[in-house]
Amino acid sequence: MTLLEVRNLSAGYGQFQALFDVSLNVNEGAAIAVIGANGAGKSTLLKSIAGVVDVIFGEIIFDGESIVNLQPHERLNRGIALVPEGRRIFRSLTVDENLSIGAYSRRQGVWNRELVYEVFPMLAKLTDRRADKLSGGEQQALAIGRALMSNPRLLLLDEVSLGLAPIIVKKLYEILPRIRATGCSLIYVEQDTNQALSASEYAYCLLEGQVSLEGKPADLSREQIASAYFGIGVNK
Ligand code: ATP
């Protein structure tokens, strides 16, 4: 069943248009990758779905209803949680306090502090530590854990691997199927194409605010991905 349908979306910042006619589908329980170069519009797409960027035109249907006019907190209450690029955790609060804030939406579901600590054992030992004293990987785990506390049906992950050592990225990605197993759909935005494609069943590539390629990762050749990513030989 389709959980999220983005139809012909155009969005941007004031006078600046960053997305042009973007369409995307996410089935319930699916993992979708959105790849593309710096500035392609990946974060803008996630932020449009979460409601923090102005939509100029188009439709966003979630669970059969239009959410395009809903505020970010209303979308969170319906089950759309964003883990923003740069983590944006509350740096002066402890791990435990950050998780409490994540539970604010009070949606019913399996996620609670205990399950977050079980899934992210690296956080379980650090419950009283201030977030600004955590390593980059621990902060990213906390950002994901905080979003899970809202019991999302759709988790939007913006550049999970940015600035982290490969071993830490591997660890975080190993945890994602566990999240999916709770019925939560995932959209990964990554500049690290290999990481995102290997963890997803369908992928979209953005180029200058438009979908330049889409398909199942296994069906996409390296040449297709390179040209859709960098715009080489793409007809416009
Ligand atoms: P990155 O990986 O660098 O974050 P991205 O693919 O996520 O790239 P976006 O962050 O969505 O790209 O940016 C798309 C376009 O929108 C870029 O041209 C960027 O400069 C512009 N942009 C992003 N945020 C803002 C903003 N707050 N105000 C104005 N323009 C913005």
Side-chain angles (χ1 to χ4, degrees), residues 12-212:
Y13 307 88
Q15 297 294 308
F16 181 77
Q17 188 170 344
L19 293 180
F20 302 83
D21 205 27
V22 170
S23 294
L24 163 147
N25 270 302
V26 181
N27 285 338
E28 205 136 17
I32 303 295
V34 178
I35 59 171
N38 225 326
K42 306 179 299 296
S43 298
T44 307
L45 176 58
L46 292 195
K47 288 193 262 182
S48 304
I49 297 167
V52 291
V53 161
D54 291 338
V55 168
I56 300 166
F57 182 82
E59 192 48 280
I60 304 175
I61 313 281
F62 184 70
D63 198 19
E65 286 180 35
S66 173
I67 57 162
V68 82
N69 293 319
L70 297 186
Q71 295 297 311
H73 70 274
E74 294 172 309
R75 300 189 197 199
L76 182 65
N77 287 341
R78 292 202 183 195
I80 299 177
L82 172 67
V83 179
E85 189 177 344
R87 297 154 207 158
R88 308 270 171 82
I89 46 177
F90 296 100
R91 301 178 63 80
S92 63
L93 301 184
T94 66
V95 167
D96 224 41
E97 288 164 345
N98 267 278
L99 293 184
S100 300
I101 289 173
Y104 169 78
S105 87
R106 296 195 184 89
R107 277 177 52 81
Q108 297 295 309
V110 294
W111 289 101
N112 54 29
R113 223 184 232 87
E114 289 66 39
L115 185 55
V116 169
Y117 288 141
E118 187 191 320
V119 169
F120 294 104
M122 69 268 252
L123 293 179
K125 297 170 270 176
L126 303 168
T127 54
D128 294 325
R129 185 159 306 174
R130 270 173 58 131
D132 59 359
K133 304 283 183 237
L134 301 179
S135 68
E138 290 159 356
Q139 288 186 359
Q140 188 66 80
L142 178 58
I144 298 171
R146 188 182 63 182
L148 290 171
M149 290 291 285
S150 70
N151 275 299
R153 296 180 68 191
L154 175 64
L155 187 62
L156 309 171
L157 296 160
D158 199 350
E159 306 265 12
V160 165
S161 56
L162 199 69
L164 300 180
I167 179 87
I168 306 294
V169 175
K170 188 166 171 278
K171 259 191 192 169
L172 287 173
Y173 266 84
E174 278 168 2
I175 288 166
L176 297 181
R178 181 93 196 266
I179 296 172
R180 235 179 119 183
T182 66
C184 180
S185 306
L186 303 170
I187 304 183
Y188 320 104
V189 153
E190 286 285 2
Q191 277 184 44
D192 180 343
T193 306
N194 290 337
Q195 187 65 64
L197 292 181
S198 63
S200 58
E201 62 214 29
Y202 201 85
Y204 294 83
C205 184
L206 291 185
L207 175 70
E208 294 174 7
Q210 291 179 287
V211 175
S212 52

